[in-house]
Amino acid sequence: MRGREFFDQDASARASWRLAVLMGANSRTYKFALGEALLECARDGQEAVPLAEFAATYSMGMVRHLAQGPQAPQSAELGEKDFLTLAAQESAATLDAGRPTEQLLATAVRSMPTMVMQKFHNLRGDSTVPHTFYELTGVGRQRVVRLSPDLLRLAQSEQVAGLAAELGARWSIVESSFAAGVGRSLIKDGVTIDWDTLKLTDKRRRRSVAGIVPAVVGFQHGRCLVCDGILAPSDPMAVDHVFPFSLMHRFGSVGSWHGPDLDALWNLAPAHATCNGTKSDRLPTQTELARLAARNEAIMQSPHPLRRTLQLSLNSALPGRNATTWLAFLGAVQMVV
């Protein structure tokens, strides 16, 4: 599934936002800091924000995350005047003051227009997201970030908390993939599930990466896999085993289970708690399998490590079976059942 197909399932500004945040390439984490700043300003109803004011919000988000993990891969060469270099140098003073230092703010104002603002709407290749969320107007000190009506509507909708959580989860995942040692193991092995905390973790070091729901719900367009209804932040949620986990115990009691691990990411989907309870241990419908296949295909278009996690399942979870698509893979699992 390409970005265009993901958008065609929900031709809305929400889908464009998710395309930019979840499925764009990440050589650094600048776009997450930009996205966070956009949501913060738009939630306040600001239609036009002076670039210096906007850069301050952006800089604070980046500095806070620098304390949690690297914001660029180890291979990146950071010069003395690079924004991340300055952010690291000025982080202590910035956090103490609760605002960026003059030097950091000046660097952000100078670098943001070309470093990140020209690229936020871009996808891999030459395509861009169908909706735009801002434009930069004016010159010099008079430059202004004008927020689009689409962004203002998104930021003031009931789904904004979910969109912010998705952005935060994606940011955390990318940070983890950049971290020393962790990045290599995540890219090689993917992530596993910690069921005690409902979080994705690095298999080798067992470090928490992000919550399952915010990490993957955006790839389902924020919808329940069972009923296809919107998953509102106030709704009680569950992580559904689309093929019920009980199958492994049921078949194990009479012989052996010859299918894939059902406790893996490919088979887990956010759902309403009530839908999950009603579904119980029944097998998935064809409609639910089609939604799961589309969701997994969308994740496969995102950068590491979620993509790698699903690649490992698609390539090796069914020994002796060569599934090239998720529909074929899920059909093969049905045959095992």
Side-chain angles (χ1 to χ4, degrees):
M1 171 180 292
R2 300 298 173 189
R4 180 74 244 180
E5 293 167 310
F6 177 82
F7 180 77
D8 285 345
Q9 294 181 56
D10 177 13
S12 68
R14 283 190 305 273
S16 285
W17 178 267
R18 286 175 168 134
L19 276 172
V21 170
L22 302 178
M23 300 168 75
N26 301 302
S27 59
R28 300 186 184 190
T29 62
Y30 293 144
K31 77 172 180 184
F32 303 121
L34 177 63
E36 184 180 74
L38 288 168
L39 287 180
E40 183 173 332
C41 293
R43 275 185 287 199
D44 292 339
Q46 301 181 65
E47 297 182 8
V49 187
L51 179 59
E53 179 182 329
F54 187 76
T57 303
Y58 166 89
S59 298
M60 289 302 301
M62 185 63 78
V63 166
R64 285 191 292 266
H65 272 263
L66 273 169
Q68 302 173 27
Q71 303 302 305
Q74 287 183 297
S75 58
E77 296 184 5
L78 303 180
E80 293 182 0
K81 296 183 179 181
D82 189 283
F83 177 77
L84 285 180
T85 301
L86 267 294
Q89 293 173 356
E90 301 292 313
S91 61
T94 293
L95 292 173
D96 286 344
R99 61 181 184 276
T101 64
E102 290 185 11
Q103 185 177 8
L104 180 58
L105 183 58
T107 302
V109 169
R110 183 178 66 250
S111 62
M112 283 181 67
T114 55
M115 181 179 66
V116 60
M117 298 192 74
Q118 287 184 358
K119 302 174 183 178
F120 182 84
H121 296 112
N122 295 348
L123 299 174
R124 283 174 290 178
D126 297 326
S127 60
T128 59
V129 297
H131 296 78
T132 56
F133 300 104
Y134 60 86
E135 63 173 341
L136 184 61
T137 62
V139 296
R141 295 183 179 181
Q142 304 305 313
R143 285 177 293 181
V144 171
V145 181
R146 299 194 178 279
L147 308 186
S148 72
D150 283 327
L151 176 62
L152 291 166
R153 281 191 291 268
L154 274 182
Q156 294 168 32
S157 72
E158 64 176 7
Q159 289 200 54
V160 65
L163 295 175
E166 292 167 22
L167 185 150
R170 191 71 215 172
W171 197 340
S172 178
I173 288 168
V174 172
E175 281 175 357
S176 296
S177 69
F178 287 164
V182 180
R184 288 187 290 277
S185 66
L186 284 171
I187 289 173
K188 180 179 179 182
D189 300 330
V191 296
T192 190
I193 310 298
D194 181 343
W195 280 100
D196 290 334
T197 61
L198 286 182
K199 289 189 175 182
L200 306 176
T201 62
D202 173 12
K203 288 183 179 180
R204 291 190 182 181
R205 297 177 63 176
R206 298 184 180 181
R207 290 182 54 166
S208 176
V209 176
I212 297 173
V213 171
V216 303
V217 72
F219 296 104
Q220 297 175 196
H221 294 280
R223 294 179 176 274
C224 171
L225 193 94
V226 179
C227 75
D228 201 36
I230 294 293
L231 286 166
S234 59
D235 293 338
M237 296 187 204
V239 177
D240 180 53
H241 287 79
V242 182
F243 283 97
F245 184 73
S246 61
L247 288 172
M248 298 176 72
H249 296 290
R250 190 186 311 165
F251 278 79
S253 66
V254 297
S256 61
W257 168 247
H258 299 293
D261 181 7
L262 299 180
D263 232 357
L265 183 62
W266 69 267
N267 189 48
L268 303 176
H272 292 114
T274 52
C275 293
N276 177 250
T278 301
K279 177 175 175 284
S280 187
D281 289 341
R282 72 162 171 80
L283 292 173
T285 66
Q286 290 301 311
T287 298
E288 290 164 356
L289 290 181
R291 290 174 187 153
L292 181 62
R295 193 283 306 273
N296 286 349
E297 293 286 355
I299 293 178
M300 293 281 280
Q301 294 304 310
S302 70
H304 289 301
L306 295 190
R307 178 175 63 189
R308 178 59 174 168
T309 304
L310 292 195
Q311 283 176 336
L312 290 168
S313 294
L314 191 61
N315 295 340
S316 61
L318 284 168
R321 299 173 185 263
N322 183 23
T324 58
T325 68
W326 279 104
L327 277 176
F329 178 94
L330 299 176
V333 177
Q334 277 189 305
M335 294 178 64
V336 173
V337 173

